[in-house]
Amino acid sequence: MKRWSGGVLIASMFMLLILRYGLVKNPIGASYLMNAFSNASNPLEWVQATVPPAYKNPVNSTQVISSDAIMFSLFAQRNTSNEEQESLHTWNLLKHLIDQAQLLPNGIEAIKEAGNAWNSLMASIEEERRGSTNESLNRRAKDKQCPHFLSKVNATLLESSGFKLQLPCGLTQSSSITIIGIPNGLLGNFQIDLTGEALPGEPDPPIILHYNVRLHGDRITEDPVIVQNTWTVAHDWGEEERCPSPTPEKNKKVDELDQCNKIVGSNATRVAIMHSKGPRRSSMVQEGSKRKRYFPFKQGYLSVATLRVGSEGIQMTVDGKHITSFAYREHKNQLVNEELWNEARTYGDIQLMPFVDYYNLITWKTLAICIFGTEVASANYVMKTDDDAFIRVDEVLGSLEKIKVSKGLLYGLINSDSQPHRSTDSKWYTSLEEWPEEKYPPWAHGPGYVVSHDIAKEVYKRYKEGHLKIFKLEDVAMGIWINQMKKEGLEVRYENNERIYNEGCKDGYIVAHYQGPREMLCLWQKLQEGNGARCCGDR
């Protein structure tokens, strides 16, 4: 089951409004663009940036659900065809997750939510089979037009003098929305809202990002401030993120960029000015300097603002400077799981999991890969990779043939000297309770590594027996598991390949990380045209 954040943007500017987004369909869903530099008090619906996942919360969030009930919900025999069962082979071998759910953060919630999502999905599919659905998701998807580019010309004018623009296929990672305009009006305040597709049972669509610029401050401050937030009917407004932040020491990073750039609200010095005296000589005279706090927007002055969709959140750049980042917050939507189900039963290229997708649960997916590679497909080697990594499979296979090691192999970009992150601000924070030692055993970076069949099979065996140490960092976890096997007598071969790039792309790559849909297509085209393993775009 998949979790996505959904989005639409509201922006009202008085000059030019430009949207750029990828042709490849994003799980962000349909989108709406509205009014950018607007003085209206109500949020404007704008562009949907992601279609979120699908499940219904229990009526009482504190309600206790028994393991037996969850087990029955997720693993009961359903009226599914042989083709549909192809996508559930790994699912049916993961029953022990329920017994070990408490070992990872979000584990219990992920399984409970999956039970609700699965019941809802099966009910929807039964309804479709009975013919009560007028058109399938597949047909609706085919009817969508996915342009490369949209502009203000395509927008609908609102009474608030702003604009609403629908993005029929949503936004993809690396796509962007550029707004060029002048904040004016009495106060010069304006807002931009990314509004998602309507959720089942809720009258109003969720606001995935509410970007509110208050040039003359608000009830908290008299200085200009940017306020970011989300909204849904069920949960009302979320927690505000303010820039400048009242607690700058808690400034976290999203896609390695600050939530609030430290320059916002900082003191800046303005120097003036140049005088010319006489035709033969000129001189530079400093008439004075004035201390003023920096803020990216100013009433009556032109600004160029770009919202860009990242892997972890949405970033705002103004006049070439990074200003804010906003991490995705989870919203639920039945349509995503329905689309995944249709994809799975149509092409047979997806294995569904009996839990919703949290970052902390990537280790479970690695476990599932080991199960699929040994119990379903019975492969000689099993490779784990990320969805934003481009893999040259021919080169990987060629490397494995040269190595000629069929047992005890860990192949990848090996890290043999890493320490746990002890800072709580780190995305990879590890407590002493989780890992008390000063260093990790050797492990391979997650964008692309290979283990031999015997290691993958032993991982599954130990999982079933309850002897597998469940660790939230999946690539490190694999290193921990292999190290334990080594202590118990397994002869391990660590094969390092530095052409597996963990932080982007370099010419000659075997694995290139952080590649968006467009880069993927470009890299593939270069290989097809005989141009070799050359990178595309920024490196």
Side-chain angles (χ1 to χ4, degrees):
M1 316 302 275
K2 192 70 176 174
R3 297 178 70 95
W4 298 96
S5 22
V8 179
L9 189 51
I10 301 181
S12 107
M13 305 275 244
F14 295 88
M15 295 290 290
L16 175 66
L17 181 147
I18 302 174
L19 282 81
R20 299 179 184 272
Y21 69 106
L23 178 62
V24 179
K25 180 184 172 187
N26 186 13
I28 290 178
S31 303
Y32 304 91
L33 173 78
M34 295 175 69
N35 181 353
F37 281 180
S38 166
N39 299 310
S41 58
N42 294 328
L44 298 173
E45 296 178 327
W46 204 40
V47 193
Q48 170 167 357
T50 41
V51 166
Y55 71 83
K56 297 179 181 177
N57 286 319
V59 175
N60 184 352
S61 60
T62 62
Q63 177 182 0
V64 176
I65 304 175
S66 70
S67 295
D68 290 342
I70 298 173
M71 182 81 81
F72 178 80
S73 173
L74 290 172
F75 298 101
Q77 291 295 320
R78 302 279 187 168
N79 182 23
T80 53
S81 66
N82 291 334
E83 290 78 11
E84 291 167 340
Q85 281 293 326
E86 291 290 322
S87 297
L88 300 174
H89 287 318
T90 309
W91 176 305
N92 293 326
L93 296 171
L94 284 168
K95 295 180 181 179
H96 295 278
L97 281 181
I98 292 178
D99 298 328
Q100 304 175 25
Q102 75 281 3
L103 299 178
L104 283 177
N106 306 118
I108 294 174
E109 304 97 293
I111 291 178
K112 286 182 179 180
E113 292 168 6
N116 292 321
W118 185 235
N119 287 335
S120 180
L121 175 61
M122 290 294 102
S124 174
I125 290 173
E126 286 299 321
E127 183 181 6
E128 183 179 343
R129 284 174 179 156
R130 290 193 299 267
S132 56
T133 302
N134 293 328
E135 56 179 350
S136 70
L137 283 170
N138 281 340
R139 287 196 296 272
R140 278 186 283 170
K142 290 179 180 178
D143 290 339
K144 291 180 178 180
Q145 299 295 319
C146 299
H148 290 276
F149 176 91
L150 291 173
S151 72
K152 176 181 172 182
V153 175
N154 308 97
T156 302
L157 183 65
L158 299 177
E159 292 181 0
S160 58
S161 73
F163 298 93
K164 174 180 178 179
L165 183 60
Q166 181 174 356
L167 302 183
C169 302
L171 295 169
T172 62
Q173 185 177 328
S174 300
S175 59
S176 63
I177 299 160
T178 298
I179 306 164
I180 305 173
I182 301 174
N184 59 13
L186 182 61
L187 295 176
N189 296 347
F190 66 92
Q191 60 194 36
I192 301 169
D193 283 353
L194 287 171
T195 303
E197 197 166 78
L199 302 178
E202 295 191 5
D204 300 314
I207 298 175
I208 306 309
L209 171 60
H210 173 63
Y211 197 91
N212 194 333
V213 177
R214 302 167 182 172
L215 293 177
H216 297 279
D218 56 13
R219 66 185 184 280
I220 297 177
T221 178
E222 295 181 355
D223 294 322
V225 64
I226 299 168
V227 178
Q228 300 181 113
N229 209 337
T230 56
W231 179 89
T232 62
V233 170
H235 299 96
D236 201 61
W237 288 102
E239 182 179 356
E240 287 187 350
E241 294 181 12
R242 301 173 69 87
C243 184
S245 172
T247 55
E249 69 278 2
K250 296 182 179 179
N251 191 9
K252 297 182 179 179
K253 291 186 180 292
V254 180
D255 291 315
E256 302 302 318
L257 295 169
D258 287 335
Q259 284 182 323
C260 177
N261 194 324
K262 295 176 183 177
I263 65 172
V264 180
S266 64
N267 288 326
T269 301
R270 287 191 172 185
V271 179
I273 289 335
M274 182 173 68
H275 288 284
S276 246
K277 294 185 178 179
R280 295 186 178 179
R281 53 181 283 193
S282 64
S283 63
M284 295 290 295
V285 178
Q286 180 174 317
E287 292 201 332
S289 63
K290 182 180 180 181
R291 306 290 290 182
K292 188 170 183 178
R293 296 184 182 276
Y294 171 79
F295 195 73
F297 300 101
K298 186 177 179 182
Q299 186 173 3
Y301 285 78
L302 183 71
S303 293
V304 180
T306 298
L307 281 167
R308 186 173 301 279
V309 178
S311 60
E312 299 175 356
I314 302 171
Q315 288 81 42
M316 171 65 91
T317 298
V318 180
D319 298 335
K321 297 185 182 70
H322 168 72
I323 301 300
T324 60
S325 293
F326 187 80
Y328 296 128
R329 297 178 183 177
E330 302 299 342
H331 301 275
K332 287 81 182 175
N333 192 320
Q334 168 101 8
L335 297 178
V336 171
N337 285 331
E338 291 181 7
E339 290 185 344
L340 285 174
W341 178 258
N342 284 330
E343 168 81 11
R345 67 183 179 181
T346 300
Y347 299 104
D349 59 356
I350 292 177
Q351 288 290 298
L352 300 177
M353 299 291 107
F355 53 90
V356 296
D357 195 1
Y358 284 90
Y359 178 79
N360 289 326
L361 303 181
I362 298 177
T363 300
W364 279 359
K365 292 194 282 188
T366 299
L367 170 61
I369 290 171
C370 291
I371 293 174
F372 180 84
T374 57
E375 307 301 313
V376 180
S378 190
N380 293 331
Y381 300 95
V382 176
M383 183 171 190
K384 182 267 171 183
T385 185
D386 291 347
D387 58 4
D388 62 349
F390 185 86
I391 313 295
R392 293 183 63 198
V393 178
D394 57 335
E395 287 291 325
V396 172
L397 291 174
S399 296
L400 294 175
E401 289 177 2
K402 291 177 182 178
I403 295 169
K404 295 181 179 179
V405 175
S406 59
K407 294 183 179 181
L409 176 66
L410 176 61
Y411 163 89
L413 182 62
I414 307 295
N415 193 328
S416 300
D417 189 30
S418 66
Q419 298 177 332
H421 290 252
R422 299 303 189 190
S423 170
T424 55
D425 292 333
S426 172
K427 179 180 177 179
W428 302 283
Y429 166 70
T430 302
S431 67
L432 287 170
E433 183 180 355
E434 291 171 309
W435 186 257
E437 299 180 29
E438 292 185 3
K439 290 186 177 182
Y440 291 128
W443 53 279
H445 286 275
Y449 63 82
V450 176
V451 296
S452 51
H453 178 96
D454 61 324
I455 287 179
K457 193 168 186 68
E458 183 66 16
V459 165
Y460 178 45
K461 175 177 176 290
R462 295 185 181 211
Y463 153 73
K464 286 195 299 182
E465 296 171 349
H467 298 152
L468 192 71
K469 178 177 175 58
I470 302 298
F471 189 71
K472 65 185 179 184
L473 307 178
E474 69 81 21
D475 42 13
V476 176
M478 180 61 76
I480 292 171
W481 299 338
I482 292 174
N483 187 60
Q484 186 61 37
M485 297 175 198
K486 182 179 179 181
K487 289 180 179 179
E488 297 173 9
L490 177 66
E491 185 176 343
V492 176
R493 168 80 172 267
Y494 295 100
E495 186 68 25
N496 183 54
N497 193 319
E498 295 186 352
R499 288 200 292 156
I500 296 174
Y501 295 115
N502 183 46
E503 298 182 355
C505 181
K506 291 184 181 179
D507 290 347
Y509 66 88
I510 288 180
V511 175
H513 194 203
Y514 298 132
Q515 301 301 294
R518 288 178 176 171
E519 286 84 5
M520 297 271 189
L521 293 172
C522 175
L523 292 172
W524 176 250
Q525 184 176 1
K526 285 180 180 291
L527 292 175
Q528 294 297 99
E529 293 174 350
N531 294 321
R534 299 184 62 189
C535 299
C536 300
D538 295 336
R539 312 212 181 151

mmCIF file of all heavy atoms in Angstrom, residues 266-296:
data_model
loop_
_atom_site.group_PDB
_atom_site.id
_atom_site.type_symbol
_atom_site.label_atom_id
_atom_site.label_comp_id
_atom_site.label_asym_id
_atom_site.label_seq_id
_atom_site.Cartn_x
_atom_site.Cartn_y
_atom_site.Cartn_z
ATOM 1 N N SER A 266 17.459 38.319 8.606
ATOM 2 C CA SER A 266 18.767 38.751 9.104
ATOM 3 C C SER A 266 19.040 40.185 8.699
ATOM 4 O O SER A 266 18.435 40.713 7.756
ATOM 5 C CB SER A 266 19.871 37.831 8.573
ATOM 6 O OG SER A 266 19.950 37.935 7.154
ATOM 7 N N ASN A 267 19.958 40.822 9.386
ATOM 8 C CA ASN A 267 20.299 42.210 9.092
ATOM 9 C C ASN A 267 21.121 42.287 7.820
ATOM 10 O O ASN A 267 22.007 41.483 7.579
ATOM 11 C CB ASN A 267 21.094 42.836 10.244
ATOM 12 C CG ASN A 267 20.216 43.084 11.452
ATOM 13 O OD1 ASN A 267 19.034 43.396 11.315
ATOM 14 N ND2 ASN A 267 20.795 42.944 12.637
ATOM 15 N N ALA A 268 20.812 43.258 6.982
ATOM 16 C CA ALA A 268 21.578 43.502 5.757
ATOM 17 C C ALA A 268 21.956 44.974 5.698
ATOM 18 O O ALA A 268 21.240 45.834 6.200
ATOM 19 C CB ALA A 268 20.754 43.119 4.527
ATOM 20 N N THR A 269 23.070 45.267 5.094
ATOM 21 C CA THR A 269 23.553 46.646 5.001
ATOM 22 C C THR A 269 23.383 47.159 3.586
ATOM 23 O O THR A 269 23.803 46.505 2.639
ATOM 24 C CB THR A 269 25.035 46.740 5.391
ATOM 25 O OG1 THR A 269 25.179 46.250 6.726
ATOM 26 C CG2 THR A 269 25.526 48.171 5.311
ATOM 27 N N ARG A 270 22.737 48.292 3.453
ATOM 28 C CA ARG A 270 22.593 48.919 2.138
ATOM 29 C C ARG A 270 23.516 50.130 2.063
ATOM 30 O O ARG A 270 23.537 50.971 2.964
ATOM 31 C CB ARG A 270 21.150 49.360 1.909
ATOM 32 C CG ARG A 270 20.217 48.198 1.646
ATOM 33 C CD ARG A 270 18.884 48.697 1.173
ATOM 34 N NE ARG A 270 18.019 47.634 0.743
ATOM 35 C CZ ARG A 270 16.827 47.816 0.189
ATOM 36 N NH1 ARG A 270 16.377 49.029 0.006
ATOM 37 N NH2 ARG A 270 16.097 46.789 -0.179
ATOM 38 N N VAL A 271 24.240 50.197 0.985
ATOM 39 C CA VAL A 271 25.201 51.286 0.821
ATOM 40 C C VAL A 271 24.806 52.111 -0.396
ATOM 41 O O VAL A 271 24.438 51.573 -1.429
ATOM 42 C CB VAL A 271 26.634 50.740 0.636
ATOM 43 C CG1 VAL A 271 27.611 51.894 0.453
ATOM 44 C CG2 VAL A 271 27.033 49.902 1.856
ATOM 45 N N ALA A 272 24.870 53.435 -0.266
ATOM 46 C CA ALA A 272 24.603 54.324 -1.377
ATOM 47 C C ALA A 272 25.758 55.330 -1.400
ATOM 48 O O ALA A 272 26.321 55.647 -0.359
ATOM 49 C CB ALA A 272 23.268 55.018 -1.184
ATOM 50 N N ILE A 273 26.258 55.868 -2.439
ATOM 51 C CA ILE A 273 25.621 55.995 -3.732
ATOM 52 C C ILE A 273 26.668 56.604 -4.630
ATOM 53 O O ILE A 273 27.684 57.054 -4.169
ATOM 54 C CB ILE A 273 24.347 56.855 -3.650
ATOM 55 C CG1 ILE A 273 23.209 56.120 -2.908
ATOM 56 C CG2 ILE A 273 23.792 57.337 -4.978
ATOM 57 C CD1 ILE A 273 23.143 54.697 -2.848
ATOM 58 N N MET A 274 26.465 56.827 -5.861
ATOM 59 C CA MET A 274 27.503 57.332 -6.746
ATOM 60 C C MET A 274 27.177 58.768 -7.162
ATOM 61 O O MET A 274 26.042 59.064 -7.523
ATOM 62 C CB MET A 274 27.595 56.431 -7.973
ATOM 63 C CG MET A 274 28.681 56.849 -8.934
ATOM 64 S SD MET A 274 28.884 55.636 -10.241
ATOM 65 C CE MET A 274 27.339 55.844 -11.118
ATOM 66 N N HIS A 275 28.202 59.654 -7.058
ATOM 67 C CA HIS A 275 28.040 61.030 -7.537
ATOM 68 C C HIS A 275 29.071 61.290 -8.615
ATOM 69 O O HIS A 275 30.185 60.812 -8.564
ATOM 70 C CB HIS A 275 28.270 62.039 -6.399
ATOM 71 C CG HIS A 275 27.166 62.043 -5.403
ATOM 72 N ND1 HIS A 275 25.951 62.631 -5.618
ATOM 73 C CD2 HIS A 275 27.113 61.490 -4.156
ATOM 74 C CE1 HIS A 275 25.189 62.483 -4.560
ATOM 75 N NE2 HIS A 275 25.878 61.776 -3.654
ATOM 76 N N SER A 276 28.722 62.111 -9.565
ATOM 77 C CA SER A 276 29.638 62.524 -10.617
ATOM 78 C C SER A 276 29.797 64.035 -10.554
ATOM 79 O O SER A 276 28.816 64.752 -10.519
ATOM 80 C CB SER A 276 29.062 62.168 -11.971
ATOM 81 O OG SER A 276 29.844 61.202 -12.582
ATOM 82 N N LYS A 277 31.011 64.489 -10.490
ATOM 83 C CA LYS A 277 31.250 65.928 -10.430
ATOM 84 C C LYS A 277 32.153 66.323 -11.581
ATOM 85 O O LYS A 277 33.317 65.983 -11.603
ATOM 86 C CB LYS A 277 31.905 66.310 -9.102
ATOM 87 C CG LYS A 277 30.978 66.078 -7.909
ATOM 88 C CD LYS A 277 31.618 66.572 -6.619
ATOM 89 C CE LYS A 277 30.692 66.394 -5.447
ATOM 90 N NZ LYS A 277 31.290 66.845 -4.180
ATOM 91 N N GLY A 278 31.587 67.061 -12.495
ATOM 92 C CA GLY A 278 32.395 67.566 -13.590
ATOM 93 C C GLY A 278 32.620 66.545 -14.669
ATOM 94 O O GLY A 278 32.462 65.350 -14.451
ATOM 95 N N PRO A 279 32.999 67.010 -15.852
ATOM 96 C CA PRO A 279 33.148 66.117 -17.000
ATOM 97 C C PRO A 279 34.392 65.254 -16.918
ATOM 98 O O PRO A 279 34.473 64.233 -17.566
ATOM 99 C CB PRO A 279 33.231 67.087 -18.180
ATOM 100 C CG PRO A 279 33.761 68.355 -17.581
ATOM 101 C CD PRO A 279 33.237 68.413 -16.207
ATOM 102 N N ARG A 280 35.420 65.643 -16.141
ATOM 103 C CA ARG A 280 36.679 64.922 -16.178
ATOM 104 C C ARG A 280 36.878 63.947 -15.013
ATOM 105 O O ARG A 280 37.772 63.148 -15.061
ATOM 106 C CB ARG A 280 37.843 65.923 -16.183
ATOM 107 C CG ARG A 280 37.864 66.760 -17.422
ATOM 108 C CD ARG A 280 39.090 67.615 -17.438
ATOM 109 N NE ARG A 280 39.172 68.408 -18.635
ATOM 110 C CZ ARG A 280 40.154 69.274 -18.896
ATOM 111 N NH1 ARG A 280 41.149 69.430 -18.037
ATOM 112 N NH2 ARG A 280 40.167 69.973 -20.018
ATOM 113 N N ARG A 281 36.112 64.071 -13.994
ATOM 114 C CA ARG A 281 36.359 63.196 -12.868
ATOM 115 C C ARG A 281 35.040 62.759 -12.241
ATOM 116 O O ARG A 281 34.046 63.456 -12.289
ATOM 117 C CB ARG A 281 37.232 63.869 -11.811
ATOM 118 C CG ARG A 281 36.719 65.196 -11.357
ATOM 119 C CD ARG A 281 37.634 65.822 -10.335
ATOM 120 N NE ARG A 281 37.488 65.228 -9.011
ATOM 121 C CZ ARG A 281 37.993 65.785 -7.922
ATOM 122 N NH1 ARG A 281 38.714 66.874 -8.015
ATOM 123 N NH2 ARG A 281 37.820 65.219 -6.745
ATOM 124 N N SER A 282 35.072 61.589 -11.711
ATOM 125 C CA SER A 282 33.914 61.084 -10.980
ATOM 126 C C SER A 282 34.427 60.424 -9.718
ATOM 127 O O SER A 282 35.584 60.016 -9.636
ATOM 128 C CB SER A 282 33.135 60.073 -11.827
ATOM 129 O OG SER A 282 33.937 58.937 -12.079
ATOM 130 N N SER A 283 33.607 60.349 -8.747
ATOM 131 C CA SER A 283 34.028 59.739 -7.491
ATOM 132 C C SER A 283 32.877 58.956 -6.887
ATOM 133 O O SER A 283 31.719 59.251 -7.137
ATOM 134 C CB SER A 283 34.503 60.810 -6.504
ATOM 135 O OG SER A 283 33.425 61.670 -6.185
ATOM 136 N N MET A 284 33.210 57.951 -6.081
ATOM 137 C CA MET A 284 32.217 57.161 -5.376
ATOM 138 C C MET A 284 32.146 57.688 -3.952
ATOM 139 O O MET A 284 33.152 57.763 -3.259
ATOM 140 C CB MET A 284 32.628 55.688 -5.356
ATOM 141 C CG MET A 284 32.655 55.051 -6.743
ATOM 142 S SD MET A 284 31.019 54.845 -7.416
ATOM 143 C CE MET A 284 30.347 53.661 -6.273
ATOM 144 N N VAL A 285 30.974 58.108 -3.541
ATOM 145 C CA VAL A 285 30.822 58.662 -2.201
ATOM 146 C C VAL A 285 29.802 57.819 -1.441
ATOM 147 O O VAL A 285 28.706 57.592 -1.928
ATOM 148 C CB VAL A 285 30.337 60.126 -2.259
ATOM 149 C CG1 VAL A 285 30.138 60.668 -0.847
ATOM 150 C CG2 VAL A 285 31.319 60.972 -3.046
ATOM 151 N N GLN A 286 30.180 57.348 -0.268
ATOM 152 C CA GLN A 286 29.240 56.599 0.562
ATOM 153 C C GLN A 286 28.459 57.599 1.392
ATOM 154 O O GLN A 286 28.985 58.234 2.290
ATOM 155 C CB GLN A 286 29.992 55.612 1.466
ATOM 156 C CG GLN A 286 29.044 54.795 2.356
ATOM 157 C CD GLN A 286 29.797 53.741 3.129
ATOM 158 O OE1 GLN A 286 30.664 53.064 2.600
ATOM 159 N NE2 GLN A 286 29.478 53.616 4.397
ATOM 160 N N GLU A 287 27.180 57.805 1.061
ATOM 161 C CA GLU A 287 26.379 58.795 1.752
ATOM 162 C C GLU A 287 25.824 58.269 3.064
ATOM 163 O O GLU A 287 25.301 59.007 3.861
ATOM 164 C CB GLU A 287 25.230 59.247 0.850
ATOM 165 C CG GLU A 287 25.723 60.026 -0.348
ATOM 166 C CD GLU A 287 24.612 60.870 -0.913
ATOM 167 O OE1 GLU A 287 23.454 60.480 -0.766
ATOM 168 O OE2 GLU A 287 24.915 61.920 -1.481
ATOM 169 N N GLY A 288 25.913 56.964 3.252
ATOM 170 C CA GLY A 288 25.405 56.425 4.508
ATOM 171 C C GLY A 288 24.929 55.015 4.304
ATOM 172 O O GLY A 288 24.750 54.557 3.183
ATOM 173 N N SER A 289 24.782 54.361 5.342
ATOM 174 C CA SER A 289 24.291 53.001 5.270
ATOM 175 C C SER A 289 23.121 52.846 6.218
ATOM 176 O O SER A 289 23.024 53.524 7.236
ATOM 177 C CB SER A 289 25.394 51.995 5.617
ATOM 178 O OG SER A 289 25.801 52.202 6.953
ATOM 179 N N LYS A 290 22.240 51.936 5.879
ATOM 180 C CA LYS A 290 21.040 51.728 6.670
ATOM 181 C C LYS A 290 20.857 50.247 6.913
ATOM 182 O O LYS A 290 20.905 49.454 5.984
ATOM 183 C CB LYS A 290 19.829 52.300 5.942
ATOM 184 C CG LYS A 290 18.536 52.159 6.737
ATOM 185 C CD LYS A 290 17.378 52.744 5.947
ATOM 186 C CE LYS A 290 16.079 52.614 6.736
ATOM 187 N NZ LYS A 290 14.937 53.145 5.979
ATOM 188 N N ARG A 291 20.663 49.884 8.172
ATOM 189 C CA ARG A 291 20.463 48.492 8.516
ATOM 190 C C ARG A 291 19.009 48.115 8.245
ATOM 191 O O ARG A 291 18.080 48.791 8.657
ATOM 192 C CB ARG A 291 20.777 48.250 9.987
ATOM 193 C CG ARG A 291 22.147 48.717 10.415
ATOM 194 C CD ARG A 291 23.239 47.866 9.844
ATOM 195 N NE ARG A 291 23.263 46.535 10.438
ATOM 196 C CZ ARG A 291 24.169 45.613 10.114
ATOM 197 N NH1 ARG A 291 25.084 45.882 9.199
ATOM 198 N NH2 ARG A 291 24.150 44.433 10.689
ATOM 199 N N LYS A 292 18.809 46.996 7.547
ATOM 200 C CA LYS A 292 17.447 46.562 7.235
ATOM 201 C C LYS A 292 17.415 45.051 7.162
ATOM 202 O O LYS A 292 18.352 44.427 6.661
ATOM 203 C CB LYS A 292 16.986 47.161 5.907
ATOM 204 C CG LYS A 292 15.509 46.892 5.619
ATOM 205 C CD LYS A 292 15.044 47.697 4.433
ATOM 206 C CE LYS A 292 13.558 47.482 4.202
ATOM 207 N NZ LYS A 292 13.059 48.286 3.069
ATOM 208 N N ARG A 293 16.352 44.446 7.660
ATOM 209 C CA ARG A 293 16.220 42.999 7.641
ATOM 210 C C ARG A 293 15.844 42.515 6.246
ATOM 211 O O ARG A 293 14.989 43.113 5.595
ATOM 212 C CB ARG A 293 15.187 42.542 8.671
ATOM 213 C CG ARG A 293 15.575 42.842 10.098
ATOM 214 C CD ARG A 293 14.553 42.275 11.079
ATOM 215 N NE ARG A 293 14.883 42.603 12.454
ATOM 216 C CZ ARG A 293 15.732 41.904 13.198
ATOM 217 N NH1 ARG A 293 16.328 40.835 12.680
ATOM 218 N NH2 ARG A 293 15.995 42.251 14.445
ATOM 219 N N TYR A 294 16.468 41.420 5.844
ATOM 220 C CA TYR A 294 16.205 40.882 4.505
ATOM 221 C C TYR A 294 14.894 40.112 4.493
ATOM 222 O O TYR A 294 14.612 39.294 5.370
ATOM 223 C CB TYR A 294 17.329 39.951 4.065
ATOM 224 C CG TYR A 294 17.012 39.209 2.788
ATOM 225 C CD1 TYR A 294 17.136 39.841 1.551
ATOM 226 C CD2 TYR A 294 16.542 37.899 2.817
ATOM 227 C CE1 TYR A 294 16.818 39.178 0.381
ATOM 228 C CE2 TYR A 294 16.222 37.220 1.654
ATOM 229 C CZ TYR A 294 16.364 37.864 0.438
ATOM 230 O OH TYR A 294 16.044 37.207 -0.726
ATOM 231 N N PHE A 295 14.086 40.358 3.464
ATOM 232 C CA PHE A 295 12.871 39.580 3.211
ATOM 233 C C PHE A 295 12.714 39.471 1.699
ATOM 234 O O PHE A 295 12.903 40.458 0.978
ATOM 235 C CB PHE A 295 11.639 40.245 3.835
ATOM 236 C CG PHE A 295 10.457 39.328 3.923
ATOM 237 C CD1 PHE A 295 10.426 38.295 4.853
ATOM 238 C CD2 PHE A 295 9.374 39.479 3.066
ATOM 239 C CE1 PHE A 295 9.335 37.435 4.941
ATOM 240 C CE2 PHE A 295 8.284 38.627 3.144
ATOM 241 C CZ PHE A 295 8.261 37.598 4.080
ATOM 242 N N PRO A 296 12.387 38.286 1.185
ATOM 243 C CA PRO A 296 12.433 38.074 -0.264
ATOM 244 C C PRO A 296 11.356 38.795 -1.058
ATOM 245 O O PRO A 296 11.536 39.034 -2.262
ATOM 246 C CB PRO A 296 12.277 36.544 -0.395
ATOM 247 C CG PRO A 296 11.569 36.119 0.858
ATOM 248 C CD PRO A 296 12.075 37.040 1.926
#
